[in-house]
Amino acid sequence: MALTSRFTAPKSRKETILTRRQIEGLIADGRSIVIIENKVLKTDAWLKYHPGGDKAIMHMVGRDATDEVNALHSAEARQRMEAYQVGIIEGRWHNFLPPIQGGKFRAYVESEQQRGAEDRDERDVSSQSSSASGSPLFEPTAQQPSNIRRRKGSHGSELHTVSSVSSMSSIDSLEHEEEKKPSHMDAYTQQEIDRDLAKYPALDPATQDDIVQRYRQLNEMIRADGLYQCNYTSYLIELCRYTFLFGMFLLCLQWSWYGTSGLFLGMFWHQLVFTAHDAGHMGITHSFALDTIIGIIIADFLGGLSLGWWKRNHNVHHIVTNSPEHDPDIEHMPFFAISHRFFDSLRSTYHDRIMAYDFFAKFTIRYQQYLYYPILTLGRFDLYRLSWEYLLLGHGPKKGPAWWHRWLEIAGQIFFWTWFGYGVVYKSIPTVSGRLAFIMVSHMVTAPLHLQITLSHFAMSTADLGVHESFPQKMLRTTMDVDCPHWLDFFHGGLQFQAVHHLYPRIPRHNLRRTQKLVRRFCADVGIPYALYGFADGNKEVVGRLGEVARQARILAECQRTLAEKEHHAHH
């Protein structure tokens, strides 16, 4: 029998007041429950139709997703979400750890005797002032109780762990971990958490609520200042730049200057991606359909990359920024590891596979600071692979408002490989050496894009401070801005304002510099450090982080070798 049938329905089902325990029970029963502006949404039916992918929703299950949803969705989209409302909550919501991140949930059985105990449980949970729940260091993975069961999620995967205990905070988990002897890597993790707890505002409800309130007030100020409105004159200038670069690519190709032609094509692709990024966030026309068409034309038809793959990947990145298990933008094993926690062969919830710290990874990670720039020059080839995988395996929505995206993208891929692969590389360049030079130059020139993307996050915190950290604080803790002169904005394409962009993703990039001044004032008011580095200093920070993790990898390898030798001698 469905759990909702146990509740007494008032005149309007949407106005049903649900307690935290009832919502926990719904999640334990396999429902994907999200809280938005005190409204309880059951999103099961929407998961497979969501244009931004199912994983983005799954990371919000059991949480107050108000700020994440408002940041990434238009007013029209938020209004459509009300169709999935099944109730409301009273008072401040205390987040659960989502099932996809390892949260455990109790089944709900209503009885007079149990109700009193459950009310006491709720008061206990509400009294917690801070938590770092969700940090895998503190999630017990030993024997699970026999009364834990798993239920298939609405789209077929095992999502919800049901337990006799509620979602645990780091404090609860630490009590379970006391008997275990912490490893050297665990000590590193604890140091990172302690460092962030000392550096950033406290996680108590009053402090985090104040940050959220000021963040929302700033959003209204930004809207009133017209910073959400697109400056189409700036895009006219962008269009002139794109036309010039594409024209030079064709002209040099006609003159048989294949390397130079590839240079201009690579620069054309590099610049185009910035507008595709704007379109993916509905930052141009603010229309879902129009911006999607613009994005697909740019990404697929002209660049050979899938906008749908990017949306699915990027939305998750915006929600779980810099989380080693969950953020696909920092999951680059076996080539890069920006945290020692990758040494544990973590499971990626996005890719749904183990990121093995195997022999090859152990070798490359020890030298990753030297491999960083060379590998970035090959980044575009990997984007082709990810795009084809997304489209051929049908990872995108097959029904709903985004059903047509996949077919338009496939048409775009056919068009791209016809004009680029056949028309340019095969028909227009007669020699193998010329083709190879053209392909490598055109693709390696786009390396600054991959540098700009990684620069904003690789040197920032990967520590998990738990479910009680507010959205704005987490974004500012895991993201840096890059300082550059105004005249260089065209080269960075707005990616130099990543901290601002993560707070307000739908602001058009040509307005980000003006918005940055307001965000810096906000950070000063709430006491959140604002990370701003020059381009050179930012690179030093990233290379330094890679070098530090490489040093930790070498220490770990040496310790393992020493232990192996001791065991060998002990047996002889």
Side-chain angles (χ1 to χ4, degrees):
M1 182 171 62
L3 187 61
T4 51
S5 65
R6 304 187 191 122
F7 304 144
T8 302
K11 293 180 180 179
S12 172
R13 177 171 176 263
K14 291 186 177 182
E15 299 303 314
T16 305
I17 297 175
L18 300 178
T19 67
R20 191 173 189 273
R21 274 293 293 119
Q22 289 172 326
I23 291 172
E24 181 182 8
L26 286 169
I27 298 173
D29 202 38
R31 311 297 181 227
S32 297
I33 304 296
V34 178
I35 311 298
I36 300 175
E37 295 178 344
N38 281 22
K39 298 173 182 177
V40 181
L41 306 187
K42 184 165 73 72
T43 62
D44 304 61
W46 182 241
L47 278 175
K48 57 185 177 182
Y49 303 133
H50 184 223
D54 57 346
K55 297 290 177 72
I57 297 177
M58 291 162 66
H59 281 291
M60 288 289 98
V61 171
R63 295 177 57 101
D64 185 338
T66 301
D67 292 315
E68 289 86 345
V69 167
N70 288 342
L72 293 166
H73 295 82
S74 65
E76 293 76 16
R78 297 197 299 273
Q79 186 175 5
R80 286 196 294 270
M81 294 176 192
E82 294 183 3
Y84 300 94
Q85 183 177 341
V86 296
I88 59 174
I89 61 169
E90 289 184 328
R92 186 184 190 277
W93 178 253
H94 296 270
N95 290 329
F96 286 110
L97 182 68
I100 192 174
Q101 297 178 18
K104 297 175 173 60
F105 296 82
R106 296 173 293 178
Y108 182 82
V109 179
E110 187 172 357
S111 69
E112 291 300 322
Q113 181 179 359
Q114 190 172 7
R115 189 177 299 141
E118 290 166 350
D119 289 342
R120 287 193 298 273
D121 289 344
E122 286 192 57
R123 288 194 295 271
D124 291 341
V125 172
S126 300
S127 66
Q128 293 177 2
S129 61
S130 66
S131 168
S133 58
S135 176
L137 170 64
F138 304 129
E139 287 298 321
T141 56
Q143 291 287 343
Q144 293 182 328
S146 59
N147 57 349
I148 292 180
R149 62 184 176 86
R150 287 186 179 272
R151 174 190 171 94
K152 291 286 185 180
S154 56
H155 58 296
S157 62
E158 288 186 345
L159 298 181
H160 306 270
T161 302
V162 186
S163 171
S164 60
V165 291
S166 183
S167 299
M168 292 178 289
S169 70
S170 62
I171 298 173
D172 299 329
S173 302
L174 274 171
E175 291 175 355
H176 289 77
E177 292 288 331
E178 282 180 352
E179 296 179 359
K180 296 183 179 181
K181 185 178 180 180
S183 69
H184 188 59
M185 293 297 106
D186 288 345
Y188 273 123
T189 302
Q190 186 61 59
Q191 287 173 10
E192 289 183 352
I193 294 173
D194 291 342
R195 186 163 53 244
D196 280 3
L197 289 174
K199 183 177 180 181
Y200 290 88
L203 299 179
D204 62 275
T207 301
Q208 293 301 306
D209 287 352
D210 180 63
I211 291 172
V212 168
Q213 185 65 26
R214 291 171 182 261
Y215 165 73
R216 294 174 182 176
Q217 290 172 354
L218 177 59
N219 183 55
E220 294 306 315
M221 185 186 305
I222 289 170
R223 191 177 303 280
D225 287 349
L227 295 177
Y228 275 103
Q229 300 304 312
C230 183
N231 184 350
Y232 292 107
T233 302
S234 297
Y235 276 107
L236 180 61
I237 297 173
E238 300 288 349
L239 183 61
C240 293
R241 184 181 300 115
Y242 302 158
T243 303
F244 169 75
L245 293 173
F246 195 78
M248 290 302 297
F249 144 66
L250 292 176
L251 184 62
C252 291
L253 185 66
Q254 182 68 29
W255 289 345
S256 300
W257 296 357
Y258 302 127
T260 307
S261 177
L263 173 68
F264 280 108
L265 179 60
M267 294 169 65
F268 172 72
W269 282 337
H270 174 258
Q271 289 291 301
L272 270 185
V273 166
F274 303 140
T275 301
H277 180 255
D278 297 342
H281 280 295
M282 294 189 298
I284 301 177
T285 70
H286 307 299
S287 163
F288 171 71
L290 286 178
D291 277 354
T292 297
I293 291 173
I294 292 172
I296 289 176
I297 289 173
I298 292 173
D300 292 87
F301 284 77
L302 299 180
L305 306 178
S306 168
L307 183 75
W309 160 79
W310 175 85
K311 277 189 175 184
R312 186 173 188 261
N313 180 99
H314 200 64
N315 283 349
V316 173
H317 163 67
H318 267 271
I319 291 172
V320 288
T321 308
N322 264 27
S323 171
E325 301 92 342
H326 312 302
D327 182 1
D329 273 17
I330 65 168
E331 295 177 345
H332 301 296
M333 294 290 283
F335 299 104
F336 300 132
I338 66 169
S339 169
H340 63 274
R341 295 199 42 244
F342 286 102
F343 302 164
D344 292 330
S345 293
L346 300 176
R347 181 176 183 81
S348 166
T349 58
Y350 180 83
H351 297 292
D352 197 23
R353 62 175 173 80
I354 299 295
M355 298 177 288
Y357 188 57
D358 53 19
F359 176 81
F360 182 72
K362 290 176 181 178
F363 175 79
T364 56
I365 299 304
R366 281 184 282 178
Y367 305 100
Q368 61 178 350
Q369 71 269 39
Y370 306 112
L371 299 172
Y372 176 57
Y373 295 109
I375 289 177
L376 291 184
T377 63
L378 306 176
R380 191 173 185 88
F381 294 106
D382 189 49
L383 297 185
Y384 290 143
R385 176 188 67 83
L386 293 168
S387 297
W388 296 337
E389 182 181 89
Y390 172 84
L391 293 172
L392 294 178
L393 298 181
H395 287 162
K398 298 179 178 63
K399 294 181 180 179
W403 69 268
W404 52 274
H405 293 184
R406 183 191 182 202
W407 303 109
L408 183 58
E409 288 202 84
I410 289 175
Q413 293 292 320
I414 295 173
F415 179 84
F416 172 79
W417 290 106
T418 299
W419 77 259
F420 173 72
Y422 178 75
V424 175
V425 176
Y426 181 72
K427 293 290 290 184
S428 301
I429 304 176
T431 64
V432 174
S433 59
R435 292 169 184 165
L436 182 62
F438 175 83
I439 291 173
M440 294 307 297
V441 170
S442 62
H443 286 67
M444 293 172 70
V445 166
T446 64
L449 171 66
H450 307 289
L451 173 61
Q452 289 159 329
I453 293 171
T454 58
L455 189 62
S456 300
H457 298 291
F458 270 27
M460 298 301 288
S461 175
T462 59
D464 188 344
L465 299 189
V467 296
H468 299 307
E469 183 179 30
S470 64
F471 171 72
Q473 177 167 313
K474 182 172 184 177
M475 294 303 101
L476 291 165
R477 186 172 59 83
T478 57
T479 312
M480 75 160 68
D481 274 357
V482 177
D483 194 20
C484 73
H486 192 288
W487 63 271
L488 262 181
D489 282 355
F490 82 94
F491 177 75
H492 291 283
L495 297 185
Q496 74 273 37
F497 302 116
Q498 279 290 286
V500 181
H501 171 68
H502 268 254
L503 290 176
Y504 305 105
R506 292 183 298 109
I507 293 180
R509 62 179 156 110
H510 302 103
N511 295 336
L512 290 175
R513 182 172 286 277
R514 289 171 58 193
T515 308
Q516 185 188 50
K517 297 177 182 178
L518 300 176
V519 170
R520 295 184 70 174
R521 191 182 310 157
F522 159 77
C523 289
D525 290 342
V526 298
I528 297 178
Y530 184 80
L532 178 66
Y533 293 88
F535 186 72
D537 289 337
N539 275 267
K540 290 179 182 177
E541 290 291 320
V542 170
V543 173
R545 166 64 66 84
L546 294 173
E548 172 60 21
V549 176
R551 184 184 69 83
Q552 294 169 1
R554 289 193 293 270
I555 292 174
L556 179 61
E558 182 64 25
C559 291
Q560 291 173 337
R561 186 184 65 81
T562 302
L563 288 173
E565 289 179 353
K566 288 182 177 179
E567 289 182 1
H568 176 74
H569 291 311
H571 286 88
H572 291 79

